[in-house]
Amino acid sequence: MAGTARILAICGSTRKNSSNLKLLRKIAAVSEESFSFSFFEDIDKLPHFNPEAKSIFEVPAGYEKYPASLKKKKLRSLIP
C-alpha cells in the first residue's frame, strides 16, 4: 500500500454494533486502494464518552500511551 493516505477513524458511538462504526468499516473496505485506515476503538475509555467516569477532567489510565501509539503508526492526532 505504498503511497496511500493514512486515516485514523474514530467512531463517536461506544456501542460495539453501532451503525456508524459499520459505515466507517465499509468506507475503509471500499477505499483500501487509496487509504489505509486505523480504528481508535478505546473511545469508551475517554471520560467524555463514559457516563460512569468520576470526572471529565480525570485523565484515564493508559491515555498517556495514546500519542505514542499514533506516532508508531505514523498518524497524527488533533488531541494533544
Side-chain angles (χ1 to χ4, degrees), residues 13-26:
S13 175
T14 58
R15 292 182 303 142
K16 297 295 179 198
N17 209 11
S18 142
S19 57
N20 290 333
L21 182 58
K22 287 179 182 179
L23 179 61
L24 282 173
R25 293 199 185 281
K26 183 66 172 178

Side-chain angles (χ1 to χ4, degrees), residues 2 6 12 16-17 22 27 31 33 40-41 44 50-51 54-57 69 72 74 80:
R6 295 172 170 260
K16 297 295 179 198
N17 209 11
K22 287 179 182 179
I27 291 168
S31 60
E33 290 183 22
F40 179 70
E41 297 181 6
D44 59 328
N50 183 351
K54 296 175 188 168
S55 166
I56 63 167
F57 302 107
S69 71
K72 183 178 177 183
K74 297 182 181 174

Side-chain angles (χ1 to χ4, degrees), residues 35-56:
F35 302 101
S36 172
F37 280 78
S38 292
F39 288 85
F40 179 70
E41 297 181 6
D42 292 330
I43 199 161
D44 59 328
K45 294 184 177 52
L46 298 175
H48 298 64
F49 293 91
N50 183 351
E52 311 259 329
K54 296 175 188 168
S55 166
I56 63 167

